[in-house]
């Protein structure tokens, strides 16, 4: 299949455009998605192509337009609700948790909710505490929600197309700092299954599990690990829920060591669940305790130096790998 080099922003745009062309029930709703072409230009050109009935600008009222999306899904439409930032989704938690996630169950299967809730999440660059929440583990804690966290343009397009076609509510968290990162994406039609991890790099010494920007960050630094004499097998879950534990466990059974890296906080984080699953499946394979590298236990500061000190960095990841290899 022929490929194109495009940014994650463009890949997401293509995914929405193709799904809206394929299925007239798909529509986009959110703040500034139309006239302004999206706060991050992910919806560039969609209003011009599909008109204001299918690309709907809303007031700054996340609970209202998320609830509208839930209602539209109940009546047979397939809405894509864009949060300008997933930090703002906190305002819509009642709609997301008590309505989107539970309506199928509480209606005895009568009302599926084919709803995608997407937008940028996690720490960006100097946007401070209230715009840097990592909510992956909070959403994943709710039965009825699927949680997708792409780290490449290829994954972003393929997984978003699958999410739009899913009959369940999908939380699709993009990282703002990855919007401008380019990658190879097929020019033809393709989708990717939700709940399937991928091995980004083969290695022999230690399995490093990381999602979203942390996976991209580590993938760019594999040469540094080699310089330290560490052969890293890098695994990207791609989706937090459902979690592909089998692929993760297979890698850990091979390397006998695991380091989990995430931008979220340590307590009750995504890595805590992954570690629990791995201990259940790989206890006899492990030659060292599983190590975790996370955000420090504080709101993210605005000051650049304090921001960097709070988030996972290469020094901490290398140190964790050396620790499980008993090389410190």
């Amino acid at each position: 299949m022929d490929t194109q080099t495009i940014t994650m922003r463009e890949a997401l745009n293509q995914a929405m455009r193709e799904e809206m062309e394929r299925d007239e029930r798909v529509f986009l709703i959110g703040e500034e998605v139309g006239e302004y072409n999206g706060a991050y230009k992910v919806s560039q050109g969609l209003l011009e192509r599909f008109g204001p009935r299918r690309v709907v600008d809303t007031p700054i009222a996340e609970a209202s337009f998320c609830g509208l999306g839930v209602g539209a899904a109940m009546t047979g439409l397939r809405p894509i609700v864009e949060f300008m930032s997933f930090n703002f989704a906190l305002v819509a938690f009642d709609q997301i948790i008590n309505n989107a996630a539970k309506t199928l169950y509480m209606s005895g299967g009568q009302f599926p909710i084919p709803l995608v809730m997407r937008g940028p999440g996690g720490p960006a660059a100097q946007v401070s505490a209230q715009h840097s929440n990592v909510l992956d583990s909070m959403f994943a804690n709710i039965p009825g929600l699927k949680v997708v966290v792409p780290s490449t343009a290829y994954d972003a397009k393929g997984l978003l197309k699958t999410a739009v076609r899913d009959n369940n509510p999908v939380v699709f968290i993009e990282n703002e700092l990855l919007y401008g990162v380019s990658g190879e994406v097929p020019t033809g039609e393709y989708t990717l299954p939700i709940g399937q991890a991928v091995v980004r790099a083969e290695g022999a010494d230690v399995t490093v599990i990381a999602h979203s920007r942390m996976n991209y960050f580590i993938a760019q630094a594999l040469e540094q690990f080699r310089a330290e004499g560490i052969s890293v097998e890098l695994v990207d879950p791609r989706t937090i829920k459902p979690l592909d534990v089998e692929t993760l466990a297979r890698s850990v059974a091979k390397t006998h060591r695991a380091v989990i890296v995430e931008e979220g906080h340590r307590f009750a984080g995504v890595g805590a669940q992954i570690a629990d699953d791995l201990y259940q499946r790989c206890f006899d394979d492990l030659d060292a305790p599983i190590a975790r590298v996370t955000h420090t236990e504080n709101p993210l500061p605005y000051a650049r130096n304090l921001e960097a000190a709070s988030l996972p960095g290469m020094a901490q990841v290398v140190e964790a790998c050396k620790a499980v290899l008993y090389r410190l």
Side-chain angles (χ1 to χ4, degrees):
M1 185 180 293
D2 293 336
T3 62
Q4 56 189 325
T5 301
I6 58 175
T7 64
M8 182 182 284
R9 176 184 291 108
E10 293 168 319
L12 293 163
N13 180 280
Q14 285 187 7
M16 290 192 290
R17 182 183 297 270
E18 290 173 14
E19 291 306 299
M20 292 174 77
E21 288 174 343
R22 186 187 64 84
D23 187 343
E24 65 181 10
R25 296 172 298 170
V26 179
F27 72 96
L28 174 65
I29 182 170
E31 297 148 333
E32 299 184 344
V33 297
E35 294 290 345
Y36 193 65
N37 287 303
Y40 296 92
K41 306 309 176 195
V42 175
S43 56
Q44 182 87 39
L46 296 185
L47 176 63
E48 181 181 0
R49 169 65 181 85
F50 298 102
R53 288 178 60 85
R54 296 185 65 195
V55 181
V56 184
D57 280 322
T58 69
I60 302 174
E62 289 80 9
S64 296
F65 66 75
C66 184
L68 190 153
V70 175
M74 289 177 69
T75 63
L77 298 178
R78 308 189 77 87
I80 303 171
V81 171
E82 178 180 307
F83 294 111
M84 187 187 296
S85 165
F86 260 101
N87 298 278
F88 308 155
L90 291 168
V91 181
F93 254 39
D94 185 46
Q95 294 286 4
I96 297 169
I97 294 170
N98 282 325
N99 295 324
K102 297 178 181 176
T103 293
L104 178 66
Y105 172 79
M106 295 182 70
S107 68
Q110 295 181 79
F111 290 106
I113 308 295
L115 167 67
V116 176
M117 294 164 280
R118 53 151 294 272
Q126 286 189 285
V127 293
S128 195
Q130 293 180 329
H131 292 72
S132 298
N133 291 295
V134 181
L135 304 174
D136 313 4
S137 61
M138 291 189 187
F139 289 120
N141 186 250
I142 306 302
L145 295 179
K146 298 183 179 182
V147 182
V148 180
V149 283
S151 66
T152 68
Y154 172 80
D155 288 351
K157 182 176 180 179
L159 287 167
L160 182 55
K161 288 170 69 70
T162 301
V164 171
R165 300 180 192 188
D166 201 300
N167 285 327
N168 301 283
V170 180
V171 174
F172 197 97
I173 303 176
E174 305 141 15
N175 189 283
E176 177 184 334
L177 298 179
L178 294 181
Y179 277 147
V181 175
S182 296
E184 292 295 309
V185 174
T187 55
E189 168 71 14
Y190 78 100
T191 59
L192 293 173
I194 292 175
Q196 188 174 103
V198 63
V199 177
R200 297 281 182 211
E202 299 276 352
D205 292 338
V206 56
T207 296
V208 175
I209 300 166
H211 65 275
S212 191
R213 192 173 76 94
M214 287 295 96
N215 193 277
Y216 171 80
F217 170 67
I218 293 168
Q220 305 309 300
L222 289 173
E223 195 59 45
Q224 185 174 339
F225 286 101
R226 296 187 192 100
E228 296 280 353
I230 302 171
S231 176
V232 164
E233 179 143 303
L234 179 59
V235 185
D236 185 349
R238 298 199 289 195
T239 62
I240 298 304
K241 197 171 188 181
L243 182 67
D244 181 5
V245 180
E246 296 307 316
T247 296
L248 307 183
R250 192 160 50 245
S251 176
V252 172
K254 170 187 171 183
T255 65
H256 306 291
R257 293 168 174 85
V259 173
I260 305 167
V261 186
E262 62 181 306
E263 287 189 305
H265 296 291
R266 183 176 184 85
F267 189 87
V270 169
Q273 180 61 53
I274 294 174
D276 179 73
D277 286 332
L278 290 176
Y279 277 127
Q280 294 293 324
R281 288 166 173 76
C282 304
F283 185 80
D284 291 335
D285 294 307
L286 287 164
D287 289 340
I290 295 170
R292 294 178 59 205
V293 182
T294 68
H295 190 309
T296 52
E297 289 295 311
N298 56 275
L300 193 64
Y302 173 76
R304 191 185 300 275
N305 60 328
L306 298 178
E307 179 183 65
S310 299
L311 295 172
M314 274 307 301
Q316 295 100 308
V317 179
V318 170
E319 182 179 13
C321 290
K322 288 183 175 180
V324 299
L325 288 164
Y326 302 111
R327 294 184 188 176
L328 290 178

